Amino acid sequence: LNTPRPGAERVTVITAIGNTGDPELMQDVLPSLTTGSTQERGAAAKALGRMPGARSHLLTQLQSESSSVVRAHLAEGLCKQGEPTLASLEAIDRAITAESDQRARFAMARYLGENIGRFPRAKATLETVLESERSNRIRRYIAGRIYAK
């Protein structure tokens, strides 16, 4: 990735690196997460989501990312990072109510919904999201997580 390549080729290389799931290759992907095109940043977010230990990078980028597509990939990647940290749960808790992208909101709702036991404040946040959510898929998911017995 250090040599100049056309955009589509860079995305292919980033995707291939991500498919390995090898955290040793994380440093090869990180520059594309912040400076690449939207497609490159999305591919980098997906790739990092498959690499153990990438949570802090995904969270940092989620907080400043302008593309809704990339934010969705970042949130989905966080879901794959295993046991969440308090900082990651708090960041998603703050971000979900302002998120405009349905796919990103669903991934964020999953992140919070799967961790209500660890982060009880998530229940109140999800109830707030449920009140104004337009997506049936997200409403069904949230209702199932917070009202299921």
Side-chain angles (χ1 to χ4, degrees), residues 33 36-42 45 61-62 64-75 99-101 104 108:
L33 184 64
S37 66
T38 300
Q39 292 79 14
E40 287 175 45
R41 292 193 320 275
Q61 187 63 23
L62 180 66
S64 63
E65 180 56 55
S66 60
S67 166
S68 62
V69 172
V70 178
R71 284 194 311 274
H73 292 309
L74 290 162
E99 181 54 59
S100 62
D101 184 76
M108 290 176 181

Side-chain angles (χ1 to χ4, degrees), residues 123-136:
K123 183 176 181 183
T125 299
L126 291 173
E127 287 172 335
T128 300
V129 171
L130 187 60
E131 290 173 6
S132 61
E133 182 56 55
R134 296 177 313 275
S135 163
N136 286 334

Side-chain angles (χ1 to χ4, degrees), residues 131-146:
E131 290 173 6
S132 61
E133 182 56 55
R134 296 177 313 275
S135 163
N136 286 334
R137 176 182 181 216
I138 297 171
R139 283 198 314 265
R140 279 192 308 269
Y141 175 80
I142 291 173
R145 291 310 262 184
I146 61 178

Side-chain angles (χ1 to χ4, degrees), residues 40-109:
E40 287 175 45
R41 292 193 320 275
K46 282 191 219 179
L48 290 169
R50 295 181 181 124
M51 295 178 183
R55 179 182 290 115
S56 65
H57 301 291
L58 295 168
L59 263 177
T60 299
Q61 187 63 23
L62 180 66
Q63 294 170 359
S64 63
E65 180 56 55
S66 60
S67 166
S68 62
V69 172
V70 178
R71 284 194 311 274
H73 292 309
L74 290 162
E76 290 165 354
L78 282 169
C79 289
K80 297 175 185 176
Q81 288 294 301
E83 188 81 18
T85 62
L86 180 59
S88 66
L89 287 164
E90 288 174 339
I92 295 298
D93 189 67
R94 286 188 305 272
I96 191 170
T97 55
E99 181 54 59
S100 62
D101 184 76
Q102 186 179 91
R103 185 171 155 196
R105 274 194 323 279
F106 182 73
M108 290 176 181

